[in-house]
């Protein structure tokens, strides 16, 4: 997994990796979190479990999801490289890219 704490401390590094300053990223992360939650609730099928129950995701937090898709969109790495950076298999990277890239809010 990439070191997001280091990324959030270094404005220059943040701009180089994802194209946004730390302040811009934090503002976008708050909006993204709200929109992602709305998207999840809207597209949720009938489940027996409540939201948040079950196995935790491979990209755990909304901030991690935002970093994942911003890095992908700025640098356009291969699925193998993106998987290495985030600790995922390339097929799971493909699914996450499709979901997050097509997220409408």
């Amino acid at each position: 997994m990439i070191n997001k704490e280091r990324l959030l401390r270094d404005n220059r590094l943040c701009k180089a990796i994802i194209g946004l300053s730390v302040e811009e990223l934090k503002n976008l992360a708050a909006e993204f979190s709200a929109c992602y939650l709305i998207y999840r609730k809207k597209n949720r099928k009938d489940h027996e479990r409540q939201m948040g129950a079950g196995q935790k995701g491979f990209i755990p937090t909304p901030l991690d999801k935002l970093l994942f898709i911003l890095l992908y969109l700025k640098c356009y790495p291969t699925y193998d490289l993106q998987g290495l950076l985030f600790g995922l298999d390339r097929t799971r990277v493909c699914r996450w890219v499709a979901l997050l890239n097509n997220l409408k809010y």
Side-chain angles (χ1 to χ4, degrees):
M1 183 66 115
I2 62 171
N3 188 344
K4 72 178 175 187
E5 288 78 25
R6 180 174 174 214
L7 186 68
L8 294 174
R9 282 191 313 250
D10 190 345
N11 202 37
R12 187 202 60 79
L13 183 62
C14 193
K15 282 185 179 180
I17 300 296
I18 60 169
L20 298 173
S21 69
V22 174
E23 184 69 27
E24 292 169 327
L25 177 63
K26 288 181 180 178
N27 291 337
L28 184 59
E31 190 173 325
F32 178 82
S33 294
C35 292
Y36 184 73
L37 183 62
I38 291 168
Y39 169 81
R40 290 272 308 178
K41 285 181 180 178
K42 234 167 66 173
N43 294 317
R44 185 172 166 80
K45 298 175 184 160
D46 292 332
H47 291 287
E48 293 178 16
R49 296 182 182 178
Q50 292 182 349
M51 290 246 333
Q55 182 179 2
K56 299 305 173 214
F58 291 97
I59 306 176
T61 66
L63 177 60
D64 291 328
K65 289 172 179 59
L66 182 60
L67 289 173
F68 175 88
I69 197 62
L70 289 176
L71 175 72
Y72 180 80
L73 292 172
K74 181 166 188 300
C75 301
Y76 198 63
T78 63
Y79 290 159
D80 292 314
L81 178 57
Q82 188 82 346
L84 179 67
L85 294 173
F86 284 87
L88 301 170
D89 184 65
R90 68 175 180 221
T91 56
R92 188 135 337 245
V93 169
C94 180
R95 288 185 210 142
W96 275 111
V97 166
L99 181 127
L100 295 173
N101 199 25
N102 295 319
L103 189 64
K104 305 280 191 268
Y105 51 93

